Amino acid sequence: MLFDLRALGYFVAAYEERSVTAASRRCFVAQPSISMAIKGLEDALETTLFERSRQGLAPTPAAHRLYPRACSLLAQSSAMVRDFRDAPRETLGIFLQDDLMVQQATPLFAHIAQELPHTMVRLTASAQAAGRHLCAAVARALCDAGARAAPAALQEALWPGRH
């Protein structure tokens, strides 16, 4: 049996608000949508979730049991979407030779962010971690690329007016 996450969201809103009207306002839907979702859950679970009265909704013991589980499922669903939406798709390991200051590499990082917006940069600047030299770091697969201090002429060619 599959549960509609939207219906669980409507249930949580109704449970917390104790009112179909307030839940519908909170969820930006019409009242019948909340009522139909609750009815669908009650049918699927073969139980009553709320006692309805003029004062609003009174959760039944079944609703009290369902509520934390529904909250958990909704939180997991949101986390899953966030993990896939926000997670970097690739990791780029960069080694900076000890004599290159991070400030000097800032244009490189800006370029990477612009060209590869979903890439996470893993920066290694420690000679101990990378093995003292750029070539050794790349060869040992400690990073994907590296940078070392460039002569002033090369810096001017790469980044005019920034050295």
Side-chain angles (χ1 to χ4, degrees), residues 39-152:
K39 176 73 171 117
L41 287 172
E42 289 176 332
D43 289 346
L45 297 171
E46 298 178 353
T47 190
T48 302
L49 295 171
F50 296 102
E51 296 296 331
R52 292 150 178 90
S53 70
R54 289 180 183 229
Q55 287 76 32
L57 300 175
T60 64
H64 290 300
R65 284 185 26 227
L66 178 60
Y67 175 73
R69 293 176 182 179
C71 289
S72 177
L73 278 173
L74 292 169
Q76 288 175 21
S77 172
S78 294
M80 182 174 51
V81 170
R82 261 191 325 277
D83 286 348
F84 281 90
R85 230 183 243 161
D86 301 339
R89 291 183 180 89
E90 294 183 34
T91 299
L92 177 64
I94 297 180
F95 167 70
L96 295 182
Q97 193 88 13
D98 288 342
D99 58 349
L100 179 64
M101 302 297 284
V102 172
Q103 182 180 8
Q104 292 172 303
T106 300
L108 171 65
F109 298 131
H111 184 73
I112 290 169
Q114 181 179 5
E115 296 298 319
L116 305 167
H118 298 290
T119 300
M120 181 175 71
V121 175
R122 180 179 36 85
L123 180 62
T124 302
S126 165
Q128 293 170 327
R132 270 242 174 279
H133 297 288
L134 171 61
C135 292
V138 174
R140 291 174 53 203
L142 296 171
C143 63
D144 302 304
R148 48 178 279 197

Side-chain angles (χ1 to χ4, degrees), residues 8-29:
L8 288 174
Y10 294 169
F11 162 77
V12 167
Y15 181 93
E16 291 175 352
E17 299 291 339
R18 302 293 203 262
S19 161
V20 171
T21 303
S24 68
R25 270 191 242 120
R26 176 172 153 179
C27 296
F28 302 102
V29 297

